[in-house]
């Protein structure tokens, strides 16, 4: 298995909903990342998990809550989002023996209504 | 402060023509360098990576990049562009480790017949 998968592909949620995004990789990578990408912009880093521990939080609002249950799985729990949180959410992972390059999933297109 | 500059927001080339996308970086030490490609609504795909060694790096899909330390650039090239190469291209630089990577603002490539 040589890819990062993300579910769902699309998500529409209201501002009072609670939802979760899921990311999975079975490549033995030990670092996983969440990014947010707005249209026509580069990805913005949100969180980094290294060996299943949260190592970087880029001052993300608490309505976004990451979780790394094991080395293959990364979740992003969403609660009380705002319309400006609508974006493409990308997950990535890095191998333990490379140049710290990141392999990205296809993303979840999130719309907050 | 670290920065990655892609001076060309938009480039148009004819199919079969050669391509060069520019990337300048500003870093305290030689960073780990990457080029990614993103098709609309998709995740990012790693084209190539560099840290040390031969300054001409080969990647996937016929792309290569030249690293020049004295001029702080890491330019992406392809000898003959195909219509399927039309996409957004991002240059990125990182300090190594599972740390934050700085992305350039991207160059949108249009390929005309």
């Amino acid at each position: 298995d040589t890819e990062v998968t993300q579910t769902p592909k699309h998500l529409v949620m209201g501002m009072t909903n609670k939802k979760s995004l899921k990311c999975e990789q079975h490549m033995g990578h030990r670092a996983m990342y969440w990014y947010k990408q707005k249209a026509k912009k580069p990805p913005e880093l949100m969180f980094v998990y290294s060996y299943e521990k949260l190592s970087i939080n880029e001052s993300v609002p608490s309505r976004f809550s990451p979780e790394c249950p094991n080395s293959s799985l990364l979740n992003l729990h969403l609660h009380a989002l705002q319309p400006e949180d609508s974006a493409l959410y990308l997950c990535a992972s890095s191998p333990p023996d490379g140049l710290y390059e990141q392999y990205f999933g296809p993303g979840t297109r999130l719309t907050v209504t | 402060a670290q920065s990655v500059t892609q001076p060309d927001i938009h480039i148009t080339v004819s199919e079969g023509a050669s391509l060069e996308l520019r990337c300048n970086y500003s870093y305290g030490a030689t960073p780990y360098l990457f080029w990614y490609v993103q098709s609309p609504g998709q995740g990012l795909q790693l084209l190539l990576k560099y840290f040390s060694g031969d300054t001409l790096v080969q990647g996937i899909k016929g792309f290569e990049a030249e690293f020049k330390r004295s001029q702080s650039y890491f330019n992406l090239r392809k000898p003959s562009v195909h219509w399927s190469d039309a996409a957004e291209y991002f240059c990125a630089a990182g300090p190594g480790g599972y740390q934050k990577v700085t992305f350039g603002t991207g160059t949108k490539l249009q390929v005309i017949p």
Side-chain angles (χ1 to χ4, degrees), chain A residues 63-79:
Chain A
R63 58 185 184 269
F64 295 91
S65 174
E67 179 195 19
C68 188
N70 59 60
S71 60
S72 300
L73 185 56
L74 187 66
N75 297 319
L76 186 63
H77 304 296
L78 314 172
H79 177 231

Side-chain angles (χ1 to χ4, degrees), chain A:
Chain A
D1 194 343
T2 58
E3 63 176 0
V4 176
T5 59
Q6 290 187 243
T7 53
K9 284 189 177 9
H10 300 275
L11 178 62
V12 179
M13 60 185 291
M15 290 190 285
T16 58
N17 291 160
K18 283 186 181 181
K19 297 285 185 184
S20 295
L21 309 184
K22 179 180 172 182
C23 173
E24 210 159 0
Q25 58 85 16
H26 297 285
M27 298 180 282
H29 293 183
R30 302 310 300 271
M32 296 183 77
Y33 311 74
W34 278 117
Y35 286 88
K36 173 183 176 181
Q37 187 180 27
K38 301 284 264 186
K40 301 187 191 303
K41 297 288 188 184
E44 298 171 38
L45 182 66
M46 299 174 74
F47 303 104
V48 180
Y49 274 84
S50 175
Y51 293 86
E52 299 157 51
K53 292 194 186 317
L54 182 65
S55 57
I56 296 178
N57 176 342
E58 286 284 298
S59 302
V60 178
S62 60
R63 58 185 184 269
F64 295 91
S65 174
E67 179 195 19
C68 188
N70 59 60
S71 60
S72 300
L73 185 56
L74 187 66
N75 297 319
L76 186 63
H77 304 296
L78 314 172
H79 177 231
L81 294 194
Q82 304 296 309
E84 59 264 30
D85 297 321
S86 299
L88 182 67
Y89 287 83
L90 295 164
C91 173
S93 66
S94 289
D97 56 353
L99 297 183
Y100 308 104
E101 69 273 21
Q102 295 176 29
Y103 295 90
F104 284 79
T108 293
R109 172 69 61 189
L110 174 67
T111 303
V112 182
T113 61

